[in-house]
Structures are given as C-alpha cells and as structure tokens.
C-alpha cells in the first residue's frame, strides 16, 4: 500500500457571472439576425421570384377582350347576354355627352 493523502480535490474554476446576460444576448442576437437574413433571402429566391415570373408571363399573354368574350358566352355577366352584340343595338338614343 502506498501512503496517500486524503482524497485530493481539484479546485473548480469559479463561474463567470459578471456580464453573463449581456454576453449571451449578444451571441444569440447575432445568431438570430443571421438566421433571419438567411431565411429572408431563401424566401425571396424560393417563393417571391418564381411568383413574379409566373405573373409576368401570365400578363404578357393575357387578352382581356378574349377573356371577356369567353365569360360572356358562359353567362357569367347579368348585363351582357351571350348572344347579344352591339350590332343590333340602337345607340343613337343614348346621350354620351357629360352634363
């Protein structure tokens, strides 16, 4: 048997409590801002830009008159009959001048 002293205890370092909250907040705020910027950039690239492209291509080829005629033939409008046109109407009785 070896002669040993009572169990030696190692001294633990004292915890750093001074400015603990400020250090944690600084660290987590930087991480939060970084993740927010990355998330916003990902959303713009994955959602906003493709949506803008789809709208742009839709409005480049959209014909409002053709769409109106299609809806008129389906009977969507109450004021425009599907079979009526301007050919048979007498527009001379309508006063179009502003009063």
């Amino acid at each position: 048997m070896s002669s040993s002293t009572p169990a030696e205890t190692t001294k633990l370092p004292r915890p750093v409590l001074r400015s603990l909250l400020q250090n944690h907040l600084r660290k987590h705020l930087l991480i939060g801002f970084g993740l927010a910027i990355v998330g916003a950039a990902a959303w713009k690239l994955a959602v906003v830009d493709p949506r803008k492209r789809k709208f742009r291509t839709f409005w480049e080829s959209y014909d409002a008159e053709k769409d109106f005629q299609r809806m008129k033939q389906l009977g969507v409008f109450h004021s425009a009959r599907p079979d009526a046109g301007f050919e048979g109407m007498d527009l001379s009785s309508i006063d179009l001048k502003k009063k």
Side-chain angles (χ1 to χ4, degrees):
M1 282 206 247
S2 67
S3 64
S4 64
T5 60
E8 293 183 23
T9 58
T10 58
K11 196 167 190 178
L12 292 175
R14 295 186 65 170
V16 178
L17 298 178
R18 191 175 305 267
S19 303
L20 184 64
L21 178 62
Q22 288 89 353
N23 292 336
H24 278 240
L25 283 177
R26 185 180 303 123
K27 174 184 165 186
H28 289 100
L29 279 174
L30 291 174
I31 291 171
F33 281 129
L35 289 175
I37 290 171
V38 168
W43 182 263
K44 182 183 183 319
L45 294 174
V47 176
V48 174
D49 289 345
R51 185 180 292 171
K52 282 183 180 181
R53 258 185 262 117
K54 285 180 185 177
F55 274 108
R56 190 178 308 117
T57 56
F58 172 78
W59 286 110
E60 284 173 353
S61 63
Y62 180 69
D63 184 13
E65 183 61 32
K66 182 179 165 187
D67 200 29
F68 170 73
Q69 293 301 329
R70 179 186 62 84
M71 288 188 285
K72 187 169 105 174
Q73 290 302 322
L74 290 174
V76 173
F77 303 113
H78 296 285
S79 61
R81 292 192 321 250
D83 56 350
F86 289 116
E87 297 83 25
M89 295 178 68
D90 181 24
L91 300 176
S92 62
S93 62
I94 299 174
D95 184 22
L96 298 176
K97 294 180 184 176
K98 298 242 181 202
K99 293 182 181 181

